[in-house]
PDB file of all heavy atoms in Angstrom:
ATOM      1  N   MET A 319      -8.081  -0.306 -15.150  1.00 73.00           N
ATOM      2  CA  MET A 319      -8.500  -0.949 -16.364  1.00 73.00           C
ATOM      3  C   MET A 319      -9.866  -1.604 -16.262  1.00 73.00           C
ATOM      4  O   MET A 319     -10.749  -1.404 -17.028  1.00 73.00           O
ATOM      5  CB  MET A 319      -7.483  -1.871 -16.962  1.00 73.00           C
ATOM      6  CG  MET A 319      -7.750  -2.343 -18.394  1.00 73.00           C
ATOM      7  SD  MET A 319      -8.716  -3.849 -18.393  1.00 73.00           S
ATOM      8  CE  MET A 319      -7.483  -5.043 -17.912  1.00 73.00           C
ATOM      9  N   LEU A 320     -10.007  -2.396 -15.209  1.00 75.00           N
ATOM     10  CA  LEU A 320     -11.283  -3.121 -15.038  1.00 75.00           C
ATOM     11  C   LEU A 320     -12.399  -2.233 -14.552  1.00 75.00           C
ATOM     12  O   LEU A 320     -13.546  -2.311 -14.990  1.00 75.00           O
ATOM     13  CB  LEU A 320     -11.034  -4.268 -14.077  1.00 75.00           C
ATOM     14  CG  LEU A 320     -10.257  -5.513 -14.549  1.00 75.00           C
ATOM     15  CD1 LEU A 320      -9.984  -6.474 -13.435  1.00 75.00           C
ATOM     16  CD2 LEU A 320     -11.029  -6.241 -15.668  1.00 75.00           C
ATOM     17  N   ALA A 321     -12.077  -1.399 -13.548  1.00 71.00           N
ATOM     18  CA  ALA A 321     -13.126  -0.623 -12.912  1.00 71.00           C
ATOM     19  C   ALA A 321     -13.513   0.660 -13.670  1.00 71.00           C
ATOM     20  O   ALA A 321     -14.593   1.050 -13.609  1.00 71.00           O
ATOM     21  CB  ALA A 321     -12.706  -0.231 -11.482  1.00 71.00           C
ATOM     22  N   LEU A 322     -12.545   1.234 -14.423  1.00 64.00           N
ATOM     23  CA  LEU A 322     -12.792   2.494 -15.089  1.00 64.00           C
ATOM     24  C   LEU A 322     -12.605   2.501 -16.518  1.00 64.00           C
ATOM     25  O   LEU A 322     -12.955   3.427 -17.273  1.00 64.00           O
ATOM     26  CB  LEU A 322     -11.897   3.612 -14.463  1.00 64.00           C
ATOM     27  CG  LEU A 322     -11.979   3.868 -12.937  1.00 64.00           C
ATOM     28  CD1 LEU A 322     -10.901   4.790 -12.563  1.00 64.00           C
ATOM     29  CD2 LEU A 322     -13.341   4.430 -12.672  1.00 64.00           C
ATOM     30  N   GLY A 323     -11.922   1.428 -17.090  1.00 63.00           N
ATOM     31  CA  GLY A 323     -11.641   1.365 -18.499  1.00 63.00           C
ATOM     32  C   GLY A 323     -10.448   2.235 -18.797  1.00 63.00           C
ATOM     33  O   GLY A 323     -10.213   2.671 -19.922  1.00 63.00           O
ATOM     34  N   LEU A 334      -6.873  -4.170 -22.414  1.00 71.00           N
ATOM     35  CA  LEU A 334      -8.115  -3.417 -22.656  1.00 71.00           C
ATOM     36  C   LEU A 334      -8.506  -3.481 -24.152  1.00 71.00           C
ATOM     37  O   LEU A 334      -9.747  -3.697 -24.389  1.00 71.00           O
ATOM     38  CB  LEU A 334      -7.785  -1.897 -22.314  1.00 71.00           C
ATOM     39  CG  LEU A 334      -8.916  -0.921 -22.645  1.00 71.00           C
ATOM     40  CD1 LEU A 334     -10.116  -1.162 -21.758  1.00 71.00           C
ATOM     41  CD2 LEU A 334      -8.394   0.560 -22.404  1.00 71.00           C
ATOM     42  N   LEU A 337     -10.189  -6.926 -24.638  1.00 75.00           N
ATOM     43  CA  LEU A 337     -11.547  -6.923 -24.049  1.00 75.00           C
ATOM     44  C   LEU A 337     -12.565  -6.279 -24.971  1.00 75.00           C
ATOM     45  O   LEU A 337     -13.655  -6.822 -25.212  1.00 75.00           O
ATOM     46  CB  LEU A 337     -11.581  -6.223 -22.697  1.00 75.00           C
ATOM     47  CG  LEU A 337     -10.880  -6.894 -21.482  1.00 75.00           C
ATOM     48  CD1 LEU A 337     -10.985  -6.053 -20.279  1.00 75.00           C
ATOM     49  CD2 LEU A 337     -11.522  -8.279 -21.179  1.00 75.00           C
ATOM     50  N   MET A 338     -12.149  -5.179 -25.559  1.00 71.00           N
ATOM     51  CA  MET A 338     -13.097  -4.492 -26.490  1.00 71.00           C
ATOM     52  C   MET A 338     -13.278  -5.305 -27.748  1.00 71.00           C
ATOM     53  O   MET A 338     -14.405  -5.237 -28.382  1.00 71.00           O
ATOM     54  CB  MET A 338     -12.575  -3.051 -26.787  1.00 71.00           C
ATOM     55  CG  MET A 338     -12.462  -2.209 -25.520  1.00 71.00           C
ATOM     56  SD  MET A 338     -11.814  -0.536 -25.781  1.00 71.00           S
ATOM     57  CE  MET A 338     -13.220   0.232 -26.602  1.00 71.00           C
ATOM     58  N   LEU A 342     -16.478  -6.675 -24.928  1.00 73.00           N
ATOM     59  CA  LEU A 342     -16.664  -6.365 -23.489  1.00 73.00           C
ATOM     60  C   LEU A 342     -16.143  -4.933 -23.236  1.00 73.00           C
ATOM     61  O   LEU A 342     -15.017  -4.582 -23.707  1.00 73.00           O
ATOM     62  CB  LEU A 342     -15.829  -7.345 -22.557  1.00 73.00           C
ATOM     63  CG  LEU A 342     -16.210  -8.795 -22.776  1.00 73.00           C
ATOM     64  CD1 LEU A 342     -15.223  -9.690 -21.908  1.00 73.00           C
ATOM     65  CD2 LEU A 342     -17.619  -9.058 -22.274  1.00 73.00           C
ATOM     66  N   GLN A 343     -16.894  -4.131 -22.564  1.00 69.00           N
ATOM     67  CA  GLN A 343     -16.574  -2.750 -22.273  1.00 69.00           C
ATOM     68  C   GLN A 343     -16.162  -2.592 -20.820  1.00 69.00           C
ATOM     69  O   GLN A 343     -16.986  -2.622 -19.921  1.00 69.00           O
ATOM     70  CB  GLN A 343     -17.717  -1.836 -22.575  1.00 69.00           C
ATOM     71  CG  GLN A 343     -17.393  -0.304 -22.360  1.00 69.00           C
ATOM     72  CD  GLN A 343     -16.266   0.145 -23.292  1.00 69.00           C
ATOM     73  OE1 GLN A 343     -16.344  -0.085 -24.455  1.00 69.00           O
ATOM     74  NE2 GLN A 343     -15.288   0.820 -22.753  1.00 69.00           N
ATOM     75  N   PRO A 344     -14.807  -2.465 -20.582  1.00 69.00           N
ATOM     76  CA  PRO A 344     -14.335  -2.289 -19.201  1.00 69.00           C
ATOM     77  C   PRO A 344     -14.928  -1.077 -18.524  1.00 69.00           C
ATOM     78  O   PRO A 344     -15.152  -0.055 -19.241  1.00 69.00           O
ATOM     79  CB  PRO A 344     -12.793  -2.173 -19.279  1.00 69.00           C
ATOM     80  CG  PRO A 344     -12.471  -2.834 -20.634  1.00 69.00           C
ATOM     81  CD  PRO A 344     -13.668  -2.514 -21.537  1.00 69.00           C
ATOM     82  N   GLY A 345     -15.172  -1.151 -17.272  1.00 64.00           N
ATOM     83  CA  GLY A 345     -15.818  -0.047 -16.505  1.00 64.00           C
ATOM     84  C   GLY A 345     -16.732  -0.592 -15.400  1.00 64.00           C
ATOM     85  O   GLY A 345     -16.812  -1.799 -15.218  1.00 64.00           O
ATOM     86  N   PRO A 346     -17.377   0.361 -14.687  1.00 61.00           N
ATOM     87  CA  PRO A 346     -18.209  -0.153 -13.602  1.00 61.00           C
ATOM     88  C   PRO A 346     -19.293  -1.071 -13.947  1.00 61.00           C
ATOM     89  O   PRO A 346     -19.645  -2.001 -13.212  1.00 61.00           O
ATOM     90  CB  PRO A 346     -18.813   1.230 -13.041  1.00 61.00           C
ATOM     91  CG  PRO A 346     -17.816   2.206 -13.495  1.00 61.00           C
ATOM     92  CD  PRO A 346     -17.251   1.790 -14.824  1.00 61.00           C
ATOM     93  N   LEU A 348     -19.119  -3.395 -16.087  1.00 70.00           N
ATOM     94  CA  LEU A 348     -18.607  -4.729 -16.416  1.00 70.00           C
ATOM     95  C   LEU A 348     -18.795  -5.630 -15.163  1.00 70.00           C
ATOM     96  O   LEU A 348     -19.086  -6.866 -15.347  1.00 70.00           O
ATOM     97  CB  LEU A 348     -17.130  -4.670 -16.699  1.00 70.00           C
ATOM     98  CG  LEU A 348     -16.431  -5.897 -17.189  1.00 70.00           C
ATOM     99  CD1 LEU A 348     -16.940  -6.254 -18.590  1.00 70.00           C
ATOM    100  CD2 LEU A 348     -14.924  -5.715 -17.254  1.00 70.00           C
TER     101      LEU A 348
END
Side-chain angles (χ1 to χ4, degrees):
M319 186 271 286
L320 285 174
L322 301 172
L334 175 65
L337 289 176
M338 297 181 73
L342 302 173
Q343 183 61 52
L348 189 66

